[in-house]
Amino acid sequence: MRIILLLMLGLFAGPVTALTLGNPVHFWLATYDCEQGDVQACLHMMQEEELIATIANRPKAEQALPDLQSACTSSNAEACARLAGTLMAVSWENSVEAFDLFAQSCDAGFGWSCLKVAYPIHVILAEGQVSSLRERASTSYDTLAQQCEAGDAFACASQSRLHLSVYLVELEAETSKAIWYHQLVPLCEQDVARACAQLGFLVGSEDHAPLSAGTEIGNLDLAVELSHKACDLGNPRGCFNTAVDTEGDQEANAYFTQACVHGDLLACQILNVEPIWNGRSPVDVLEQACHAGDISACFTSQVANAPGPATLRDSITDQERAAAQTYADQMEVLCLQGSAPACGQVGDALFDEVVFNPKGARLAFAGCGDEDEYGSDARSCEILEAYQALLPTE
């Protein structure tokens, strides 16, 4: 009940931040705001999770579709991703159309969508799904095959990816392998980022070793090379896979940073939870990493340069209070960029044992997220508990 009360008190937290797909902090901000009745925040949650909307929220999702369809253009890849997520929220029957939209969005440079097509939406041709969905997915696959044969690289990349889901039991067949593996090789040579990312994953995957005759599966050096190329072409999965296969924390961190900047949720969480930086890190190296997009480096630098005290409750003079407020404002910027620890720092800086601060509580909630899941900041959870302790109990 305290959580609910905390959310209700958040009604007075001030203007709501524009929420971006793929930012873990923004998902929890949306969770917070949705509980207050913010329709856009509820839509954001549905778009992020691709969960069937509740009976109450499904009409809101359906009502949003016309505007999202109008906004989804070649120059607005995120709008296409939101449209795809909303379609999935309305009905799993829309999963085929959603996959196509995610693929288009990925190819247009919206990295978060690349994560969606890296692992095909789980309902496409999944066992036990309704026959109508399976028929639509099969029809879509056949259409992609025809378009690919006509020279459409986009269709070829999608067909190769979906083939693993559509014809899983036939992967050993040479005709099947020609599609799910060999079709990707010339596409990657043509700089199709999705193809390079998928090919790099396959080449480095032990799961496909039994099916490797006539392929380069098991060639780990080539896998890194392909993933690196995909990363250079802007695909976050390529950056993430390169980081995983790279020796040396600092170099791996650089690739995780690229993956995070391109929209890889897990890469952002790794940078938050397992940073290589600390207060003894060289200032110039921290600044360089921060400018490259590593928010964990920015966070470490800000903490190292924090004024003392950096909290309003410990400030005595007006100058100290101004410095603490400035620190909170700086940390808020990092928080909204996706740094869960920075969210906790804002909550801590603004905490008052007497007067409840809704803004600080909201950001601490976002930094804590789900404390049982990877990516949650333990300090933010502690600060959130302190805010909850100020609330009345039943």
Side-chain angles (χ1 to χ4, degrees):
M1 182 58 69
R2 286 186 174 184
I3 288 287
I4 296 175
L5 288 170
L6 180 59
L7 294 173
M8 295 305 294
L9 284 172
L11 284 167
F12 307 100
V16 176
T17 304
L19 303 173
T20 300
L21 290 172
N23 184 320
V25 165
H26 286 195
F27 173 78
W28 291 108
L29 288 175
T31 302
Y32 192 100
D33 297 335
C34 179
E35 289 289 338
Q36 302 170 26
D38 186 320
V39 174
Q40 291 303 314
C42 295
L43 282 173
H44 182 91
M45 290 179 63
M46 287 186 277
Q47 291 159 355
E48 284 269 22
E49 292 291 285
E50 294 156 18
L51 297 177
I52 299 302
T54 64
I55 293 176
N57 284 331
R58 185 174 297 154
K60 299 173 185 176
E62 293 174 336
Q63 291 168 11
L65 287 176
D67 287 341
L68 289 169
Q69 288 166 338
S70 298
C72 175
T73 64
S74 58
S75 60
N76 193 343
E78 181 170 352
C80 296
R82 289 189 181 278
L83 172 59
T86 306
L87 284 169
M88 287 292 292
V90 171
S91 172
W92 281 350
E93 288 282 341
N94 295 324
S95 60
V96 175
E97 182 180 357
F99 178 86
D100 189 59
L101 285 166
F102 279 130
Q104 292 180 41
S105 177
C106 170
D107 288 355
F110 189 59
W112 181 76
S113 293
C114 298
L115 307 184
K116 298 300 181 181
V117 293
Y119 304 100
I121 299 169
H122 62 88
V123 298
I124 292 183
L125 292 178
E127 292 296 330
Q129 288 303 316
V130 294
S131 59
S132 60
L133 174 55
R134 294 180 63 84
E135 290 173 3
R136 289 188 62 233
S138 296
T139 300
S140 176
Y141 177 87
D142 292 340
T143 300
L144 288 171
Q146 295 171 5
Q147 294 171 339
C148 177
E149 189 173 350
D152 187 336
F154 169 86
C156 291
S158 293
Q159 183 201 12
S160 293
R161 186 65 192 92
L162 290 180
H163 194 84
L164 293 172
S165 298
V166 176
Y167 296 112
L168 185 60
V169 297
E170 300 179 15
L171 288 182
E172 293 185 17
E174 290 304 315
T175 53
S176 182
K177 198 176 299 180
I179 297 171
W180 69 262
Y181 179 86
H182 291 294
Q183 189 163 280
L184 294 171
V185 176
L187 291 174
C188 182
E189 291 174 351
Q190 297 166 29
D191 294 341
V192 178
R194 267 198 297 142
C196 295
Q198 176 62 13
L199 191 58
F201 173 77
L202 289 173
V203 168
S205 173
E206 294 181 356
D207 292 340
H208 295 90
L211 312 171
S212 62
T215 72
E216 288 282 355
I217 290 177
N219 185 340
L220 298 185
D221 290 337
L222 179 59
V224 174
E225 180 182 328
L226 291 166
S227 295
H228 193 177
K229 181 175 182 179
C231 180
D232 287 342
L233 291 170
N235 186 285
R237 272 290 94 175
C239 300
F240 185 93
N241 290 337
T242 304
V244 170
D245 293 325
T246 296
E247 295 183 4
D249 288 345
Q250 192 161 321
E251 187 176 359
N253 221 60
Y255 285 114
F256 280 131
T257 297
Q258 289 187 62
C260 179
V261 169
H262 288 318
D264 190 304
L265 169 63
L266 182 56
C268 298
Q269 292 177 327
I270 287 173
L271 291 172
N272 272 328
V273 177
E274 304 174 18
I276 65 172
W277 314 111
N278 55 53
R280 298 185 300 277
S281 300
V283 174
D284 58 334
V285 176
L286 273 178
E287 290 180 352
Q288 183 179 0
C290 177
H291 287 307
D294 185 347
I295 54 177
S296 67
C298 301
F299 173 78
T300 300
S301 180
Q302 292 283 12
V303 171
N305 295 321
T311 62
L312 291 178
R313 64 182 176 277
D314 293 326
S315 301
I316 298 175
T317 67
D318 290 342
Q319 184 177 3
E320 287 177 341
R321 291 184 63 81
Q325 184 62 60
T326 298
Y327 177 72
D329 292 342
Q330 293 171 339
M331 281 294 171
E332 183 179 358
V333 172
L334 296 181
C335 167
L336 297 180
Q337 289 175 353
S339 172
C343 299
Q345 288 287 314
V346 179
D348 189 30
L350 299 180
F351 182 78
D352 187 314
E353 293 93 337
V354 178
V355 181
F356 182 86
N357 188 307
K359 179 179 182 179
R362 178 175 181 261
L363 295 182
F365 180 90
C368 180
D370 184 340
E371 59 184 332
D372 294 325
E373 288 189 1
Y374 185 82
S376 174
D377 176 59
R379 178 58 180 154
S380 295
C381 295
E382 293 175 3
I383 296 164
L384 178 61
E385 289 181 1
Y387 276 103
Q388 292 170 344
L390 294 178
L391 300 175
T393 57
E394 291 190 348

